[in-house]
Amino acid sequence: MGKKSAAAAALVLSGVLLATGCSAGSSGGSGDSPAKTGDSAAPGKPSASAPADDNGAANEAAYRKWGLKPFPAPPAPPADKPVKLKPGEVPVISDIPTDKKIVFVTFDDGAEKDPKFVEMMQDLKVPFTMFLTDAAISNNKAYFKPLQALGNAIENHTLTHPNMRTESGSKQQHEICGQQEKLTKEYGKAPRLFRPPYGNWNEATRAAVKECGPQAIVLWRESMQIQNMQYQRGDKKLHPGDIILAHFRGKSELKGHTMTEMTANMLRHIQEQGFTVARLEDYV
């Protein structure tokens, strides 16, 4: 081919590359391998894989901000819930029957209202359940609404946090029914679950729960402290379906640590044992 013919051919090839949105050395994809025929997107539009890639990178960045790695997505919620709530029955549960490597995170009381925790949960999108006490949240009930807006349920934890075993049946009913009414009015949805303070309950508690509206009493298998978990089982390990207890607590209760630090420690323990977090209400 003569010099003039070669130059003309080069100009034609250059025009084709520009028209397809590629440049010399570009694969049209991630840059790791050439794109296959038919894989490239239409000019001016992102490739089909771009949104997923972008979401993955954003998720990693959000977790990295809090010193964490992303969790695997939990399995799809079961169509047939393993814990069935039946009218007139109030089961007491500490874990969910499942063989999936999932656990359920819960936060109690509501005394600490750290805005950084809201930011953390908005970033991480880890599902959890809140069991709130009126005496603890009454000075700022609005704090919990952005957390609820993420899809996290607000459940019943009494008006004043008494030891239910030492209270009469009528006092227990007042504590549970009163908080049921307040939470329903404030947050627009009636709680389905009840957690007794300190995990203490008796048959009068069960009768009061039945009367007031919640359909199950929820306890726990592990409780998060500051850096470590306390386990009920002798092997000191998480098991599929375990319910984990944590609290809305601040530096004064956490020996100078913040709630976000405590939460990050808890999530690391879950991840290090090969578990991911699912939403309790999807299984009950």
Side-chain angles (χ1 to χ4, degrees), residues 248-277:
F248 285 95
R249 287 179 175 163
K251 288 184 177 182
S252 60
E253 298 86 8
L254 299 175
K255 298 182 179 179
H257 293 272
T258 64
M259 186 171 174
T260 56
E261 290 171 335
M262 184 256 323
T263 302
N265 290 334
M266 175 176 60
L267 296 178
R268 287 190 196 97
H269 283 295
I270 294 169
Q271 196 170 63
E272 287 166 359
Q273 295 185 52
F275 287 81
T276 193
V277 182

Side-chain angles (χ1 to χ4, degrees), residues 36-249:
K36 296 178 182 178
T37 303
D39 284 352
S40 58
K45 294 184 180 180
S47 67
S49 63
D53 293 343
D54 290 347
N55 289 340
N59 194 38
E60 287 186 11
Y63 273 77
R64 189 164 55 247
K65 171 181 171 181
W66 301 98
L68 298 165
K69 296 180 181 178
F71 279 97
D80 187 23
K81 293 184 178 182
V83 178
K84 295 173 177 60
L85 303 181
K86 301 176 182 178
E89 297 182 11
V90 180
V92 180
I93 59 175
S94 299
D95 51 51
I96 302 297
T98 180
D99 58 359
K100 307 294 184 184
K101 293 206 75 174
I102 54 174
V103 294
F104 305 94
V105 171
T106 65
F107 289 93
D108 277 14
D109 302 343
E112 177 65 19
K113 302 168 186 69
D114 185 351
K116 282 288 185 182
F117 179 73
V118 177
E119 180 184 343
M120 182 186 207
M121 293 297 102
Q122 288 171 336
D123 286 344
L124 303 185
K125 298 176 176 59
V126 174
F128 61 93
T129 298
M130 296 170 276
F131 289 90
L132 300 183
T133 298
D134 188 66
I137 68 172
S138 59
N139 63 341
N140 187 4
K141 293 183 178 181
Y143 170 83
F144 303 94
K145 292 184 178 180
L147 297 172
Q148 182 190 32
L150 294 172
N152 303 306
I154 290 174
E155 307 290 6
N156 193 326
H157 196 43
T158 74
L159 288 170
T160 65
H161 208 272
N163 179 350
M164 301 297 264
R165 285 181 188 163
T166 66
E167 303 293 344
S168 66
S170 60
K171 178 61 187 296
Q172 292 194 48
Q173 186 169 324
H174 170 74
E175 286 283 339
I176 300 170
C177 288
Q179 181 65 336
Q180 190 79 356
E181 182 179 347
K182 283 178 176 284
L183 292 175
T184 302
K185 181 178 179 180
E186 182 68 30
Y187 300 106
K189 189 172 183 180
R192 294 172 52 241
L193 308 175
F194 171 74
R195 173 170 283 163
Y198 318 107
N200 292 340
W201 66 280
N202 55 26
E203 286 305 318
T205 314
R206 196 198 297 262
V209 170
K210 180 180 176 181
E211 181 68 25
C212 296
Q215 297 172 278
I217 294 173
V218 177
L219 305 179
W220 59 88
R221 284 294 184 182
E222 292 82 28
S223 60
M224 185 62 199
Q225 303 306 303
I226 300 172
Q227 295 180 325
N228 297 304
M229 285 189 189
Q230 288 184 348
Y231 297 86
Q232 293 179 0
R233 298 185 183 91
D235 62 4
K236 299 190 181 303
K237 293 180 180 178
L238 295 172
H239 290 244
D242 277 1
I243 298 170
I244 301 172
L245 165 67
H247 290 85
F248 285 95
R249 287 179 175 163

Side-chain angles (χ1 to χ4, degrees), residues 13-29:
L13 178 59
S14 176
V16 170
L17 290 171
L18 288 171
T20 58
C22 299
S23 60
S26 169
S27 67

